[in-house]
Amino acid sequence: MKQKDRSLSWTRTVYLLVALVLVSLALVLLSQGRQLGPVEGAASVVFTPVQQFVHDATSGVGGWIDSVRRAHDLEEENKQLRTALDAVTAENATNQEYKRENEQLRAMLKFQTDRPEIAAVLANNIGGDASGQMEIMTIDRGVADGIRDGMAVISPGGILMGTVLSTKKDRSTVLLITDHSSSVAVASQRTQSPGTLKGMWQEGGRLSVQHIPRDADMKEGDLLLTTGTGGKIPKGLIAGSVSAVHQNDVQSEKDAEALPLVELNTLENVLVITSGGEK
């Protein structure tokens, strides 16, 4: 079929449909006066499919519009739920931070109550060793705050973390007890058996207790306390917990493995003991 013939056929179809719709509307109007009952019945047979087609088409469009509207409403509701969830998450994080700070303050208060003879300066952890060669911590207190080399650095609860290695006016470097060059005199809290606590950070951040007398009573679970001998570390600070004891029948001494009782690099606040005698 030529293009022109197809155009004429389409035009005639459109005209026919328009005419059918107009006649259908006229019959509807006349039916309200009940004057064309027989004709209406006959016409309904002809025009009902057309009316049904128009109704279905408009219903489909209306349903599509409703679907679009519902999708928009769901999107808005989803945005509101995400906003509410973000607010709850932020509030929970804030509450956790308050809880952590409260626990640190309680620990500090308890330590100061238990050891009133000790004076300490609160400091913030501002970084570690970027090269990864040493187990150190940098704090934001220095000479201007009365910090000196060799002073003990403890957690808010009084657990030994290390000693001041070097100082500047407004900051200091702390050598943590897990560093291989750290050495602290300790004794078992249970039996007072002596030993030297050395760092073993290359082996998972553990500690080694060396120079333990061969016949000393030291076993797994014993707490290790500082003896206060040498340097500026007060006596009686908790330094670690024994995890294993190695006995050698040939040597005159034995050694043990120990673990620190705090995550040394994760604490945000520490205390630097500036003065304090033996307990």
Side-chain angles (χ1 to χ4, degrees):
M1 183 182 291
K2 296 182 179 180
Q3 181 66 28
K4 183 176 181 181
D5 293 338
R6 286 200 298 266
S7 298
L8 290 175
S9 177
W10 171 248
T11 301
R12 284 195 296 269
T13 301
V14 171
Y15 286 156
L16 178 59
L17 286 174
V18 171
L20 289 174
V21 170
L22 292 176
V23 172
S24 178
L25 291 175
L27 290 174
V28 170
L29 293 175
L30 290 174
S31 67
Q32 294 179 357
R34 297 297 177 184
Q35 297 175 2
L36 296 178
V39 178
E40 179 184 359
S44 63
V45 176
V46 178
F47 294 110
T48 294
V50 177
Q51 292 174 345
Q52 185 64 41
F53 170 79
V54 174
H55 176 270
D56 292 343
T58 54
S59 297
V61 173
W64 178 79
I65 293 175
D66 288 340
S67 298
V68 172
R69 184 182 297 110
R70 285 196 297 271
H72 176 73
D73 292 342
L74 288 174
E75 182 179 1
E76 289 299 320
E77 183 178 355
N78 191 34
K79 289 180 180 179
Q80 293 177 4
L81 290 175
R82 285 200 300 266
T83 301
L85 179 61
D86 290 343
V88 170
T89 302
E91 183 178 0
N92 184 58
T94 301
N95 290 337
Q96 291 297 324
E97 182 67 14
Y98 287 153
K99 180 180 178 181
R100 184 191 59 78
E101 291 179 357
N102 185 50
E103 290 173 350
Q104 287 191 358
L105 290 173
R106 287 178 179 273
M108 290 170 58
L109 179 61
K110 185 178 185 304
F111 175 75
Q112 292 175 358
T113 302
D114 294 342
R115 303 295 299 269
E117 78 282 6
I118 290 179
V121 174
L122 179 65
N124 296 314
N125 176 6
I126 59 175
D129 179 23
S131 67
Q133 300 300 311
M134 298 182 69
E135 282 284 276
I136 59 175
M137 173 192 296
T138 302
I139 58 176
D140 62 350
R141 295 290 185 270
V143 176
D145 304 288
I147 309 299
R148 300 291 183 269
D149 293 357
M151 288 182 171
V153 179
I154 61 176
S155 71
I159 297 175
L160 183 67
M161 299 179 60
T163 56
V164 176
L165 181 64
S166 62
T167 59
K168 294 182 180 180
K169 180 180 179 181
D170 59 352
R171 63 186 57 199
S172 301
T173 300
V174 178
L175 181 70
L176 300 177
I177 59 174
T178 47
D179 189 84
H180 62 86
S181 62
S182 173
S183 179
V184 180
V186 296
S188 167
Q189 183 185 44
R190 183 175 58 87
T191 64
Q192 298 301 307
S193 300
T196 302
L197 191 67
K198 301 281 293 182
M200 298 174 60
W201 68 272
Q202 299 97 329
E203 299 181 32
R206 293 181 298 165
L207 302 167
S208 172
V209 189
Q210 302 176 3
H211 308 304
I212 305 171
R214 179 179 176 179
D215 59 349
D217 180 12
M218 186 176 291
K219 63 183 181 179
E220 180 181 350
D222 282 354
L223 287 179
L224 301 172
L225 306 183
T226 57
T227 62
T229 57
K232 302 176 183 179
I233 301 177
K235 180 182 179 180
L237 298 176
I238 299 175
S241 175
V242 176
S243 58
V245 178
H246 305 293
Q247 182 74 52
N248 191 317
D249 294 334
V250 177
Q251 297 178 347
S252 60
E253 296 179 340
K254 60 184 176 183
D255 60 83
E257 295 179 17
L259 297 172
L261 297 180
V262 291
E263 294 290 337
L264 303 180
N265 290 308
T266 61
L267 289 180
E268 296 181 5
N269 306 114
V270 298
L271 293 173
V272 182
I273 297 179
T274 54
S275 65
E278 296 184 357
K279 187 175 179 181

